[in-house]
Amino acid sequence: MKLTMEHTQVADMARRFANEVIRPQAERLDRDEAFAGDIYAAMGESGLFGITVPDTYGGAGLDCLAYSIVMEELSRGYGSIADQCGLVELLTTLLCTHGTDAQKAQWIEPLIRAQKRGAYCITEAGAGSDVSGVKTTAVRQGDGWVLNGAKLWIHNAPVADVAFVLARTDPAAGKRGMSIFIVDCHSAGVSRGPKEHKLGQRSSQVGELAFNDVVLPADAMLGTEGRGFHMMMSVLEKGRIGIASLAVGILQAGLDASVEQARMRRQFGAPISEFQGIQFMLADMAKDTEAARLLVRSAASKIDAGEDATAASSMAKCFAGDAAVTHSSNAIQIFGGSGYIRGYEVERLYRDAKITQIYEGTNQIQRVIIARNLLKA
């Protein structure tokens, strides 16, 4: 797929940032499970958040294809950093599409400038792949609402300033009885559970957010009452493209490291790059990386053209996530014993890749979506 000059410039900028700012800190951030506040501040100054946010709100005003390119390049540096870019993209997309002028003015620019940290709160103990299982409630009280419930495994929960919370406002109405609320995380009644210690993407701060009789004003609701489920679902195509792009970044980083290692590592008196078994592994990495990239960019282009990208985004996310897990494992094989040692990039890539098969809808759910699309009348 041929990129425009603008897309190429965006890719170059994101790649430089990843190489010069992210990559040198990735091992430390992973080891210490540290929040990358300094990197996010630099990203906010450089315009690497809110890629598709219109420039009238302080964003870059670019398209979904540009967003996918930025996510891939940042992920080549470290997937956790790209993950934050994806989170900001989803929250600001919700605000741009459904927010009031006051909500946009209050939250968009602080989020894309990394002055405020957001959280996207859907998942609960009984509501993962099945979002209809959400039990968090918001009950009317005067002109406002009272929020009760708990959300699990929430990105940025330990550090968030604002949470976008999916809650039931009409328990009898099923999916049509859910609404989204913008919640100040420093409000009375909001509490945070301990930070989770994860297999991979360890710099991303994940934990629980609980809401105990949190009093919300009427203008805390985002969009229309009862449309929360549909609003959340409306950004999932872009979300899946973001995660697929992140997986492509992991694939490319693993391929780059493997090619270099194959040239340098010697066994039986020769570089291992001369062995056909290694050559075939590298060839499979290369073809699947390119295939994943093309699937992602095709799906992003459908969104930019106003076309239905449901199946395309699911295909991209499913293929790229599965390929990232397979080939980060193969990268370790090429490195041999050293690839299994903490501190080597390919060991981290292997751990970081696994979550791409799980969040924004498991890859099993993506297969269901693809099949339904094929079989619908």
Side-chain angles (χ1 to χ4, degrees):
M1 180 179 294
K2 186 173 178 59
L3 301 180
T4 66
M5 181 178 295
E6 187 174 48
H7 289 133
T8 301
Q9 290 171 343
V10 167
D12 290 344
M13 178 184 70
R15 187 178 301 121
R16 283 196 305 273
F17 189 91
N19 288 337
E20 296 172 7
V21 180
I22 299 173
R23 186 177 292 277
Q25 300 189 58
E27 192 276 332
R28 175 187 63 81
L29 291 169
D30 175 76
R31 181 188 66 240
D32 298 343
E33 302 182 46
F35 183 74
D38 58 336
I39 294 179
Y40 299 142
M43 289 171 67
E45 293 173 2
S46 301
L48 287 168
F49 287 133
I51 302 301
T52 67
V53 171
D55 54 11
T56 52
Y57 300 123
L62 300 175
D63 57 15
C64 191
L65 179 55
Y67 165 60
S68 73
I69 291 168
V70 169
M71 286 289 288
E72 177 187 336
E73 295 297 343
L74 295 177
S75 182
R76 287 175 73 174
Y78 184 20
S80 278
I81 304 301
D83 209 19
Q84 187 79 1
C85 179
L87 174 62
V88 173
E89 188 69 29
L90 292 192
L91 297 181
T92 52
T93 297
L94 281 171
L95 282 164
C96 287
T97 307
H98 303 289
T100 64
D101 289 342
Q103 289 168 339
K104 292 173 183 176
Q106 183 176 3
W107 295 113
I108 290 180
E109 191 156 356
L111 284 169
I112 63 178
R113 296 287 174 259
Q115 297 162 350
K116 297 289 185 181
R117 301 159 185 168
Y120 184 60
C121 301
I122 301 178
T123 306
E124 299 181 8
S129 295
D130 181 12
V131 179
S132 65
V134 163
K135 290 184 168 44
T136 296
T137 62
V139 178
R140 284 191 181 276
Q141 179 175 281
D143 292 334
W145 302 84
V146 177
L147 182 69
N148 282 282
K151 301 291 184 176
L152 300 178
W153 306 323
I154 302 303
H155 185 184
N156 271 1
V159 297
D161 297 298
V162 59
F164 289 62
V165 182
L166 184 65
R168 290 195 174 278
T169 47
D170 183 353
K175 293 179 181 178
R176 297 182 180 276
M178 300 183 190
S179 305
I180 298 174
F181 293 89
I182 304 175
V183 181
D184 186 331
C185 291
H186 307 292
S187 301
V190 179
S191 60
R192 309 170 199 260
K195 180 175 76 172
E196 301 287 357
H197 300 283
K198 309 188 304 301
L199 171 71
Q201 295 201 21
R202 288 156 57 91
S203 179
S204 298
Q205 310 294 290
V206 170
E208 177 184 0
L209 277 176
F211 310 97
N212 182 24
D213 290 334
V214 178
V215 178
L216 301 174
D219 61 5
M221 181 179 286
L222 180 68
T224 305
E225 181 180 349
R227 295 290 297 172
F229 176 85
H230 303 280
M231 289 158 58
M232 287 286 193
M233 293 300 104
S234 72
V235 299
L236 278 185
E237 288 179 6
K238 182 184 281 188
R240 287 165 181 161
I241 287 169
I243 300 308
S245 303
L246 187 155
V248 174
I250 290 174
L251 278 163
Q252 188 65 58
L255 175 60
D256 292 344
S258 296
V259 169
E260 182 179 2
Q261 178 72 355
R263 288 170 173 159
M264 292 177 56
R265 186 182 175 200
R266 298 180 66 85
Q267 293 288 291
F268 304 103
I272 64 171
S273 59
E274 294 186 7
F275 304 147
Q276 191 177 64
I278 299 297
Q279 292 172 359
F280 281 8
M281 292 173 73
L282 294 173
D284 285 342
M285 282 187 194
K287 70 179 176 59
D288 286 355
T289 299
E290 186 65 11
R293 179 177 292 118
L294 291 173
L295 279 170
V296 171
R297 293 184 179 180
S298 175
S301 296
K302 285 181 181 295
I303 287 183
D304 291 333
E307 300 174 10
D308 181 6
T310 301
S313 62
S314 289
M315 288 180 186
K317 195 265 185 189
C318 188
F319 184 88
D322 286 349
V325 171
T326 295
H327 292 306
S328 58
S329 173
N330 288 338
I332 289 177
Q333 200 73 16
I334 289 171
F335 272 71
S338 61
Y340 198 68
I341 302 301
R342 185 65 62 88
Y344 277 81
E345 181 183 25
V346 292
E347 183 269 344
R348 173 175 56 79
L349 293 173
Y350 184 52
R351 290 184 287 105
D352 288 348
K354 180 59 190 177
I355 192 62
T356 65
Q357 293 180 310
I358 299 173
Y359 61 178
E360 294 296 335
T362 66
N363 280 8
Q364 286 71 31
I365 291 294
Q366 304 315 311
R367 288 174 167 86
V368 170
I369 292 169
I370 295 163
R372 285 178 178 171
N373 188 269
L374 286 171
L375 298 170
K376 68 184 179 182

